[in-house]
Amino acid sequence: MDNERFSTLEIRRLKESEPIPYDLLLLADPSRELLNNYLSDADVFIALYKGRVVASYVMCSISPETSEIKAIAVDEKHQGKGAGKLLLHHAFQQAKEKGYKTIAIGTANTSFKQLQLYQQQGFEITGIKRNFFIDNYPEEIFENGIQAKHLIMLEKDL
Ligand code: COA
């Protein structure tokens, strides 16, 4: 199966007794400090494949109407096989069940694959937090040969 796409994945909430999958979440957000800030009031979900954690996402309430996916990551060995799409659909379902009307996600101006994935899954760009990565991260971040400077915010109606 290792080269095939995931048709399903076991996705569930992280138990209190389980460690936060920082190795994965740091792929999505390289700042442990920012991660810890929102992890203090967030729901963490993990996806398991053959008993191992291969992906994770973090969701926070940002208003009574809107839930935000703060970080989403798939183990590098398993990227591009549909896990990201399955995680997004799981997040849509979770947010809907909790009564949210909208789900939000942010990504860098340089994250083309992510912008493709999110827009294919129904997110629309709603705004730009200019210089977000310059102001909030100690190191410069480069991706696709471009400096990540701005956070592109997207939302989807549920
Ligand atoms: N190039 C361009 N688009 C790509 C791509 C690539 N190499 N890989 C995936 N995509 C796009 C395609 O639109 C794809 O849809 P398709 O398979 O129908 O063509 C879509 O993304 C879904 O891909 P999927 O396999 O579900 O994505 P994934 O399992 O790799 O998960 C991420 C997506 C972003 C979560 C994952 O790549 C990841 O963890 N990246 C590092 C961390 C990160 O950037 N997190 C997001 C921060 S905002």
Side-chain angles (χ1 to χ4, degrees), residues 64-82:
E65 300 263 290
T66 308
S67 181
E68 180 175 339
I69 299 172
K70 288 285 191 183
I72 178 167
V74 176
D75 183 316
E76 277 161 316
K77 289 192 295 292
H78 294 289
Q79 289 177 10
K81 298 196 281 180

Side-chain angles (χ1 to χ4, degrees), residues 1-119:
M1 142 88 208
D2 277 1
N3 292 316
E4 286 170 27
R5 292 180 68 82
F6 294 108
S7 50
T8 60
L9 269 176
E10 182 195 343
I11 303 175
R12 64 161 171 82
R13 193 182 297 271
L14 186 76
K15 295 177 189 157
E16 270 185 36
S17 58
E18 292 175 318
I20 291 170
Y22 278 108
D23 50 342
L24 286 172
L25 297 176
L26 286 164
L27 295 174
D29 188 339
S31 165
R32 191 179 269 259
E33 194 185 330
L34 282 189
L35 258 175
N36 282 334
N37 281 347
Y38 51 74
L39 279 170
S40 61
D41 191 18
D43 290 320
V44 180
F45 292 88
I46 52 172
L48 295 130
Y49 173 63
K50 293 185 178 170
R52 297 180 69 111
V53 179
V54 293
S56 178
Y57 75 90
V58 177
M59 199 153 59
C60 290
S61 177
I62 56 166
S63 82
E65 300 263 290
T66 308
S67 181
E68 180 175 339
I69 299 172
K70 288 285 191 183
I72 178 167
V74 176
D75 183 316
E76 277 161 316
K77 289 192 295 292
H78 294 289
Q79 289 177 10
K81 298 196 281 180
K85 205 188 290 189
L86 292 171
L87 290 184
L88 287 177
H89 286 234
H90 189 270
F92 301 161
Q93 199 55 39
Q94 288 292 318
K96 226 187 265 186
E97 281 170 17
K98 286 193 165 180
Y100 292 102
K101 301 273 181 285
T102 309
I103 188 158
I105 196 162
T107 197
N109 58 293
T110 48
S111 298
F112 305 129
K113 177 176 93 171
Q114 291 77 351
L115 283 165
Q116 178 175 342
L117 169 61
Y118 304 155
Q119 289 176 96

